Amino acid sequence: MLTRESALGGAMQPKIFPATAFVLAASLLLALFCGLGAFHSALAQSPPLAPDAPGSISGSVTDSSGAPLSGIDVTLHRRDSNGYYSYWRSTRTDTQGAYRFGVLPAGTYALSFRDQSSVYAQTFYSNALTLQSATPIAVAGSNVTDLNVAMPKAGAIQGQISYVVSGFVQSSRIDVHARVQEEWQTVASLWIEGSGVYSFPGLQPGVYAICAYNVFWDSAGDKPSESYPTLCYPDVYSSIDYAWPITVTEGLTTTDIDLAFGVEGDSATIGGVVRSSVGSALEGILVHLFSRNSSESSQYSAMTRTDAAGRYEFRWLRPGNYVLLFVDLRGPYLGEFYDDSVSYSDATVVTVNRYEKRLDVDARLSLGGTIGGKLSVLGDEKPDNAYIQLLGAPPPSWWFPLGYSHYDPATGAYRVSGIPPGIYRMRVEGRLNHMTFGAYYGEGAGRYDPEQATPITITPGAVIDNINIDLGEAGMFDGAIGGQIRAEGRPLPSARVSLYASSDKELPLVELQADAEGRYFFGGLTEGTYRIGVVDPLEIYATTFYSDRISPVDASLVSLEASQQRMDVDIELKPGGWITGRVIADNNRPAARFNVYAWYVLQNPGAEYAYGTLFPLIQRATTDQNGNYRLGGLRAGSYRLCTGPGGRFPGGLLACFGLPPRSIEPYQAANVEVRAGQTTAGIDMFVGERLPSNSYLPLLMR
């Protein structure tokens, strides 16, 4: 074993074995290159040290008399950074009622205990009713013992759920709640489809409340979806605080806790009649109801339609504040919020209490106008979808908020109804082939300038058709980029040329091969900015981006105006070099199908290089079955290399050249020098846990 004195004087020890001297020299060079901290890190990983005291949690489970309970499911929950517990692991108690969770990372945990037979009541440590109120258990590399619980005999709650309203598909979540720490907390939950019997076994003796949340929809699809608010036993819609207490006794089942959705209970009702401005009833008007209670965590909403007499009604409402919106989806009537308001914020709030029926919330809708026509893109294709806006004239004015539009992508036809009388300019945005096309209604410059767009006058009851709009303009795809690829002054045939959008530096929009004269052409381009990159398939010449740049990150932008064609984007390639090496795992095993990534090191970065001194390259290599790789098409210079798992689902980095095992910071890695026309070999990387005996670390940077 080398002493401190022998290590310091190692150069003068002629009797040291050559292998030892080799490792020693490597260690000293590594210390000089990476710093003493990195050197100590490398030594600490050979072999890796086990924690002094792996975290663990253990205890026992008994019944109320102290007799051990075997086969009890014990679940461990871990608290996240938001304070919520999630499932972590589970086990069962042994014949002595004991349980244990070992090798736990530092964190805060909670425990739950459940008897599958429901003879004993579900319990949370220490004998809490809910996970939310369970005692937090801190683990930080220590053994936490004697977390013992005594499970009492269980009781149960059973009842029937039913629906007064028929013809609808029903689904309900039923919850058991308990008053814990001055708030209602959920003890257990279940989902039930349709009417039927529900049961909650395994409850601790105590006092509970039962509530259910229901969603139902029309199976025929010809009525709006609606939902009841939460219903608590027996017929309480207003608040869980009004629910009747349900007492659970040890070893007994409390029955007949029935819930019936559709009964009036203590709910409120809002209703009324919708008429035209001349007093005739309006059928089929869509009525939206929104709750407006600031204390609610989520706002309740519902919809219905008026009947032949213009009547509508919302039943089973909680006490509180509500806002109503009336919309004519098919005809010419103007939409409005109650009462005669065009905005949610200015709407009249309707307030109801328990058992109250407000059936006088009426509305009168005035006549508006309708605009219709067809949409197209460049006179040929129909948009996949469209968004229509109306701007009051002259601008600036308010965007029309209550116009309801319908667009049919099969025919390109659209219709906007319920438009207030006035003068408007119309703007349309359509999506086709994942591209957005927009224009105002009008000709010439007015198509893109609201000040010059053609105005449309709406009068009460007016129906204006044939307002057709062609999105885009002729020549918008006539842009082109082209040029010639050369290497050492000569055309480079078959070079692979890539076109990148300025916003995407990872994947090219399209790739093609240069012709026999090294020329390339990208057509069908719209106005914008692009980047061009060139790869020599033979890797004799270095991958280059316009103009003489290293990667898409710093490539110069090629700007195109509408219909512009730039045929002068020439690119000159320089001779490149190669890097070869091997990726090795523990026991000298080859690391097959690993990706090798490279960064170019800028020697004198200027202010224009906002990304720092390292530039990621698009070039990467994949190791073969023997762990070997070859990375080519590199311009002369310095590089940093790192590696990580490849394959269908690639992982993150595992190692970088010149760093201790599991160090993955390219900015701290060793430089790898590449010369034009030459191969830099032996650039090996280690992805295991233990430092190999023959040392993979670079000596004198290889």
Side-chain angles (χ1 to χ4, degrees):
M1 176 178 179
L2 288 176
T3 65
R4 182 176 183 273
E5 289 75 13
S6 64
L8 291 174
M12 303 179 65
Q13 301 285 334
K15 293 183 180 181
I16 294 178
F17 291 103
T20 307
F22 178 85
V23 174
L24 177 59
S27 301
L28 290 174
L29 285 170
L30 176 64
L32 290 173
F33 176 71
C34 297
L36 290 175
F39 176 54
H40 293 159
S41 175
L43 293 181
Q45 297 195 35
S46 179
L49 297 176
D52 292 334
S56 69
I57 290 175
S58 61
S60 63
V61 182
T62 65
D63 64 14
S64 300
S65 68
L69 295 178
S70 64
I72 298 297
D73 291 331
V74 187
T75 300
L76 184 68
H77 310 264
R78 191 170 191 238
R79 193 172 68 190
D80 62 21
S81 58
N82 296 316
Y84 297 103
Y85 286 101
S86 59
Y87 172 86
W88 192 255
R89 284 170 57 192
S90 61
T91 188
R92 284 185 179 175
T93 57
D94 61 18
T95 56
Q96 301 302 313
Y99 69 90
R100 185 177 186 276
F101 295 99
V103 194
L104 299 179
T108 301
Y109 297 86
L111 288 166
S112 62
F113 305 85
R114 180 176 175 271
D115 175 17
Q116 287 191 349
S117 66
S118 298
V119 174
Y120 296 94
Q122 175 175 274
T123 304
F124 297 84
Y125 181 81
S126 55
N127 293 102
L129 271 175
T130 64
L131 179 61
Q132 186 177 345
S133 62
T135 301
I137 305 164
V139 176
S142 58
N143 298 318
V144 184
T145 60
D146 297 324
L147 299 185
N148 307 323
V149 297
M151 298 178 68
K153 288 289 185 68
I157 295 176
Q158 183 176 294
Q160 176 91 18
I161 188 167
S162 58
Y163 302 86
V164 173
V165 179
S166 61
F168 290 84
V169 178
Q170 298 101 3
S171 177
S172 297
R173 188 191 73 235
I174 307 176
D175 299 329
V176 179
H177 301 278
R179 192 78 172 175
V180 181
Q181 299 172 351
E182 302 303 318
E183 66 177 0
W184 289 102
Q185 296 183 7
T186 302
V187 176
S189 298
L190 61 81
W191 280 91
I192 184 169
E193 298 291 335
S195 300
V197 175
Y198 73 88
S199 179
F200 285 100
L203 298 178
Q204 292 190 40
V207 179
Y208 299 92
I210 289 283
C211 298
Y213 173 78
N214 167 261
V215 175
F216 69 92
W217 59 94
D218 177 22
S219 57
D222 59 357
K223 295 182 180 179
S225 299
E226 299 185 39
S227 63
Y228 293 110
T230 300
L231 171 65
C232 297
Y233 177 79
D235 298 316
V236 177
Y237 291 100
S238 58
S239 170
I240 189 175
D241 293 330
Y242 290 102
W244 289 11
I246 303 167
T247 300
V248 172
T249 305
E250 182 176 324
L252 299 177
T253 297
T254 302
T255 60
D256 300 324
I257 308 301
D258 299 336
L259 297 165
F261 277 107
V263 298
E264 294 295 333
D266 68 345
S267 66
T269 302
I270 293 176
V273 180
V274 181
R275 298 183 176 89
S276 69
S277 56
V278 297
S280 58
L282 296 180
E283 182 181 6
I285 299 297
L286 186 65
V287 187
H288 291 261
L289 176 92
F290 307 94
S291 64
R292 197 164 172 177
N293 302 307
S294 59
S295 61
E296 293 182 356
S297 58
S298 60
Q299 299 298 305
Y300 173 80
S301 64
M303 292 185 298
T304 190
R305 285 193 175 98
T306 56
D307 61 17
R311 295 188 176 277
Y312 74 92
E313 194 172 273
F314 293 101
R315 301 165 59 192
W316 315 294
L317 300 179
R318 285 186 174 188
N321 303 317
Y322 295 90
V323 168
L324 291 102
L325 170 64
F326 306 90
V327 178
D328 181 10
L329 291 179
R330 304 187 188 94
Y333 292 97
L334 301 180
E336 68 173 47
F337 287 92
Y338 180 80
D339 185 23
D340 295 324
S341 175
V342 296
S343 70
Y344 177 86
S345 59
D346 294 334
T348 300
V349 176
V350 180
T351 302
V352 288
N353 299 310
R354 296 178 70 196
Y355 304 105
E356 184 176 4
K357 296 183 183 297
R358 281 287 309 273
L359 303 179
D360 58 349
V361 185
D362 302 335
R364 283 183 178 265
L365 305 185
S366 301
L367 274 176
T370 300
I371 296 175
K374 290 192 174 183
L375 306 178
S376 58
V377 177
L378 297 177
D380 184 20
E381 298 290 335
K382 303 172 183 63
D384 297 326
N385 53 61
Y387 176 59
I388 301 169
Q389 295 172 307
L390 293 176
L391 179 65
S397 185
W398 51 279
W399 287 100
F400 177 60
L402 295 179
Y404 281 79
S405 59
H406 172 76
Y407 172 69
D408 182 4
T411 62
Y414 76 91
R415 180 167 293 272
V416 184
S417 60
I419 305 173
I423 301 175
Y424 298 91
R425 288 170 170 83
M426 185 164 69
R427 175 175 172 78
V428 177
E429 287 189 359
R431 293 277 293 175
L432 177 65
N433 297 331
H434 303 282
M435 296 182 292
T436 300
F437 303 86
Y440 287 91
Y441 173 66
E443 300 294 336
R447 291 169 51 75
Y448 303 100
D449 182 359
E451 297 281 353
Q452 301 181 38
T454 302
I456 303 172
T457 301
I458 299 295
T459 57
V463 178
I464 304 176
D465 287 321
N466 297 317
I467 304 297
N468 305 322
I469 301 180
D470 185 44
L471 306 176
E473 62 180 343
M476 68 178 299
F477 289 97
D478 290 346
I481 296 174
Q484 188 177 37
I485 310 301
R486 298 185 181 91
E488 299 183 286
R490 298 185 300 272
L492 183 64
S494 300
R496 190 170 76 246
V497 189
S498 301
L499 176 74
Y500 294 80
S502 61
S503 59
D504 191 347
K505 305 176 184 65
E506 294 293 333
L507 293 176
L509 292 171
V510 63
E511 293 182 332
L512 51 77
Q513 282 189 334
D515 63 16
E517 298 297 324
R519 298 192 179 277
Y520 72 93
F521 177 85
F522 292 106
L525 303 182
T526 59
E527 179 180 3
T529 54
Y530 301 88
R531 303 172 196 263
I532 304 292
V534 181
V535 174
D536 175 15
L538 300 179
E539 297 184 340
I540 297 174
Y541 297 99
T543 297
T544 303
F545 287 80
Y546 180 79
S547 55
D548 195 30
R549 295 304 180 108
I550 304 160
S551 76
V553 172
D554 71 327
S556 298
L557 294 176
V558 180
S559 298
L560 283 185
E561 297 179 359
S563 303
Q564 184 182 11
Q565 298 194 356
R566 289 193 54 180
M567 298 292 104
D568 58 348
V569 184
D570 301 334
I571 300 177
E572 180 81 18
L573 271 58
K574 299 175 181 178
W578 298 265
I579 297 174
T580 63
R582 190 165 181 252
V583 180
I584 309 162
D586 284 322
N587 301 319
N588 206 35
R589 290 183 296 105
R593 298 192 67 194
F594 266 58
N595 286 334
V596 177
Y597 306 89
W599 289 260
Y600 183 81
V601 182
L602 292 169
Q603 300 301 324
N604 297 296
E608 71 274 15
Y609 292 104
Y611 292 86
T613 59
L614 296 186
F615 268 82
L617 303 187
I618 62 168
Q619 299 100 301
R620 66 182 58 173
T622 302
T623 59
D624 61 18
Q625 61 182 1
N626 296 315
N628 297 314
Y629 72 90
R630 175 187 174 93
L631 187 63
L634 304 175
R635 67 170 59 195
S638 301
Y639 293 85
R640 307 283 175 86
L641 265 65
C642 297
T643 186
R648 183 177 179 185
F649 303 104
L653 299 179
L654 288 183
C656 292
F657 177 72
L659 291 182
R662 298 290 173 170
S663 297
I664 55 173
E665 178 49 69
Y667 279 92
Q668 298 176 4
N671 278 357
V672 179
E673 301 300 329
V674 173
R675 293 178 175 84
Q678 298 183 18
T679 296
T680 303
I683 306 303
D684 302 337
M685 286 174 281
F686 179 70
V687 294
E689 297 288 347
R690 294 192 176 190
L691 195 67
S693 59
N694 63 349
S695 181
Y696 79 101
L697 294 172
L699 294 180
L700 297 178
M701 303 307 104
R702 295 286 182 186

